[in-house]
Amino acid sequence: MGGDGVSAGSPSWLKEAQRDSPWAQLRVTVAGFGVSGYAAADTLIQLGADVTVLEDRDGPAEQERATILRILGARIELGPGSTASLPAGTQLVVTSPGWKPSAPLLAQASAAGVPVWGEVELAWRIRDPATPWLVLTGTNGKTTTVRMLTSMLRASGLRAVAAGNVGDPIVSAVMDPGGHDVIAVELSSYQLHWTYSMAARSAAVLNVAPDHVDWHGSMDAYAADKARIYSGVETACVYNVADPVTEQMVRDADVREGARAIGFTLGIPSVGMVGVVDEYLVDRAFIAERQTSAAELAAVADVQPAAPHNVANALAAAALARSIGVPPVAVRDGLRGFAPDPHRISHVAVVDGVTYVDDSKATNPHAAAASLAAYDSVVWIAGGLAKGASFSELVPAVRDRLRGVVLLGADRAVIAEALARHAPDVPVVDVPDTDNEAMDRVVAAAAGLARPGDTVLLAPACASMDMFANYAARGDAFAEAVRRLPGGRATP
C-alpha cells in the first residue's frame, strides 16, 4: 500500500503512532543522510527504533555523521549503490525530502506496501500536541515570511522557533527538551509530498507558480502537494487574494469545524482579511469589530525592504500570528526587529546615482517578477539554469520597467528569445563568459546601460549552479563586482 498505510509487516500501532508508541519494535530505513536525514535517524534512535541509514554519498560530512550514529547503534551504509535495495524486514521508510517517488528504494517500498514518511510526518507523530504549529508554503517568499512570523511571535513573549525548510529540522525542534510555545514551520513541496497526517493550528500558501515541475511530474501535482498544508487546519487557512489558486486550495481543503479562510491583500481588505490602508498594515479578520473597522498592525515603512511582495509576506506572517492571539503591537515590533536574509532584495551600493540590488534568491520567473515590480526603471541582470521555465509571461509584464537587460549563464538564450519577441526595443547585452571575472563584465555592462535614478537588479529568474556553487555565491560575486566599480564603496 505504501504512503502512510500500514503493510502486513508493519505493527498495527504505526497508523496512530505517537512519541510514547513502542518504537523499539520497529525496523526503520532512513533514505538519505543530509541534515534532515541525520536528524530523523538520530530521533528514531532516541525513540528506540532499529535504524538503518542508506546514502550514496560518502564525503567527510557523511562519514562524520555515520561515526556518531554507529556509536548510538545505527547501521550506516554509505557510497554508490547503497540506496539501490530496500533492506529486508524494513517496516517503515523515512525519506529525505528531495528524493523522488520514482527512486528505486522508495519504489520498492511502495510496491511492498511499506509506509514511506518524510521527516515532517515523523515530527508530527511525535510532537507535543499542546504546542501549536503555524505552517506555510509557497513558490516564493517562504523563508522570509517564516522568519518574520518568528520575530512577531517572540516579540509577543512566546518561546518560538523557526523549523522545517529553514532553521532547525522539524524533528529536532519537537524533540527539544526545553520545549516551545509555538513552532513556525516552513515547508517545501517536497516535504509536503511525504506528509499525510499533519493538521496545523493555522496554515498559509503564499503563492503558486511553476517550479519543481520536473520533480512532481506536472503543475497540477505540484499544486496538489502544496495544498496538503491546509488539510485538517484548526483555526485559519491564510491565502493570497491576488493568487486565485491559493483561494481555491482553501475552498477544496478538508479542515476542522470552525476553521476560517483569511485572505491577505495589498489593497484595502474586506471583512475577514488583512491588507493595507493609507500606508498601514491592518487587520479586519481577528477583531470583534471587523464588520465596521480595522485594527492597525504596523506601518508599511516597518517592513524592510518595503517592496510589494515583501509587504505581502509581512501580511501573511501577521495573519498567522494574529490567528493565535499575537497582539498588534507585537506584529509591529516583530517587523521592526526583523532583518531579511542576504541575497533577498538586498541593497548593495549607490554608484553615480544608480542603486545596485542583490536578489540572487529570485531563482524562478515568479520571484523575479515580484522583485522587478518593486522598481520603476531597472537594468535587469538575468540568466542561469532555467529548469525548463518559460519567460513568455514575465517579459511582457515587466518590459515597461526595463532600461536594459544583461544576460549571463547557460540558459540566457531562452530569456533573450522572450525579450526579442515581447520587448524588442529593450537593449540587451549578452555576456557568454563563465570565468571568475564574468560577473565583473556583467556589472560593468549593467552600469553602462543605467542612468542616475535607475536600479541595477540581480534577479536572475534562474538557478545558479551552472556558474556558481549556489545563489549565495552568485549574490556575493555580484556585490563584490559592484564594489569594484569606481566609487562602488563610497555610498553603501
Side-chain angles (χ1 to χ4, degrees):
M1 134 184 349
D4 66 337
V6 178
S7 70
S10 299
S12 59
W13 56 264
L14 189 58
K15 185 77 171 178
E16 306 296 334
Q18 303 174 58
R19 185 178 300 192
D20 59 359
S21 296
W23 293 92
Q25 301 175 4
L26 198 66
R27 293 186 298 277
V28 185
T29 295
V30 175
F33 206 29
V35 173
S36 67
Y38 174 76
D42 181 50
T43 296
L44 287 160
I45 292 168
Q46 292 182 57
L47 294 170
D50 181 297
V51 177
T52 298
V53 179
L54 306 180
E55 172 58 71
D56 286 332
R57 293 175 298 180
D58 191 12
E62 288 76 27
Q63 288 287 357
E64 181 179 355
R65 293 168 184 155
T67 298
I68 296 170
L69 293 193
R70 283 180 178 132
I71 292 171
L72 297 175
R75 290 179 295 278
I76 315 291
E77 296 182 22
L78 303 177
S82 295
T83 67
S85 299
L86 184 69
T90 297
Q91 297 168 299
L92 171 68
V93 173
V94 176
T95 181
S96 295
W99 280 46
K100 292 184 178 181
S102 59
L105 187 78
L106 304 186
Q108 291 170 38
S110 180
V114 175
V116 179
W117 294 356
E119 177 228 351
V120 177
E121 179 68 17
L122 174 63
W124 180 257
R125 301 295 188 110
I126 62 174
R127 78 197 187 284
D128 178 355
T131 302
W133 287 20
L134 301 177
V135 301
L136 63 92
T137 191
T139 303
N140 298 301
K142 296 185 294 294
T143 297
T144 296
T145 306
V146 82
R147 292 189 63 238
M148 284 179 173
L149 171 60
T150 306
S151 184
M152 294 172 188
L153 296 169
R154 289 174 176 170
S156 72
L158 294 169
R159 293 173 301 160
V161 64
N165 203 42
V166 62
D168 297 329
I170 186 64
V171 289
S172 300
V174 301
M175 292 293 285
D176 186 336
H180 304 287
D181 294 322
V182 58
I183 302 178
V185 185
E186 174 192 336
L187 295 178
S188 70
S189 57
Y190 299 161
Q191 290 170 309
L192 284 162
H193 180 85
W194 301 112
T195 302
Y196 312 100
S197 63
M198 183 184 72
R201 176 70 60 85
S202 296
V205 179
L206 303 178
N207 44 63
V208 180
D211 202 13
H212 305 305
V213 174
D214 53 345
W215 193 97
H216 293 273
S218 70
M219 184 61 192
D220 286 345
Y222 170 67
D225 280 336
K226 289 286 191 191
R228 288 174 181 247
I229 204 164
Y230 289 129
S231 180
V233 161
E234 180 180 339
T235 300
C237 294
V238 178
Y239 68 92
N240 185 347
V241 174
D243 190 334
V245 173
T246 67
E247 183 174 3
Q248 190 60 48
M249 287 177 174
V250 174
R251 294 182 184 278
D252 294 341
D254 184 9
V255 301
R256 294 272 291 273
E257 184 73 26
R260 298 171 57 202
I262 307 296
F264 65 91
T265 175
L266 292 175
I268 297 174
S270 301
V271 176
M273 296 181 182
V274 295
V276 178
V277 176
D278 295 333
E279 298 301 311
Y280 287 93
L281 279 61
V282 301
D283 171 10
R284 290 195 69 189
F286 300 103
I287 60 171
E289 307 83 9
R290 57 183 174 269
Q291 293 291 339
T292 56
S293 61
E296 181 183 312
L297 299 175
V300 170
D302 292 325
V303 182
Q304 295 298 321
H309 65 288
N310 210 38
V311 175
N313 293 338
L315 288 164
L320 290 171
R322 294 284 288 151
S323 77
I324 62 165
V326 168
V329 66
V331 172
R332 182 201 66 191
D333 291 348
L335 288 173
R336 289 179 176 177
F338 170 75
D341 287 343
H343 315 297
R344 292 166 167 85
I345 47 177
S346 300
H347 177 94
V348 176
V350 178
V351 183
D352 295 332
V354 175
T355 302
Y356 290 78
V357 174
D358 166 17
D359 197 14
S360 185
K361 185 63 172 67
T363 57
N364 57 54
H366 184 271
S371 189
L372 286 159
Y375 306 99
D376 292 329
S377 183
V378 180
V379 176
W380 179 30
I381 298 175
L385 291 175
K387 302 179 292 183
S390 168
F391 299 86
S392 60
E393 295 184 6
L394 169 60
V395 171
V398 302
R399 64 186 173 195
D400 292 341
R401 301 176 181 274
L402 299 179
R403 171 81 68 183
V405 180
V406 182
L407 298 175
L408 78 164
D411 292 332
R412 63 191 185 281
V414 180
I415 307 174
E417 190 276 332
L419 287 163
R421 184 159 20 104
H422 299 292
D425 296 332
V426 173
V428 177
V429 178
D430 184 290
V431 179
D433 307 340
T434 58
D435 57 50
N436 291 338
E437 287 76 41
M439 189 60 83
D440 287 279
R441 300 183 188 103
V442 167
V443 169
L449 291 170
R451 301 290 181 269
D454 288 348
T455 298
V456 171
L457 175 65
L458 174 69
C462 294
S464 59
M465 285 77 75
D466 56 331
M467 293 175 60
F468 303 92
N470 48 48
Y471 73 83
R474 178 171 60 190
D476 289 341
F478 170 75
E480 290 162 6
V482 170
R483 293 178 183 122
R484 284 192 287 268
L485 289 170
R489 294 183 181 275
T491 51

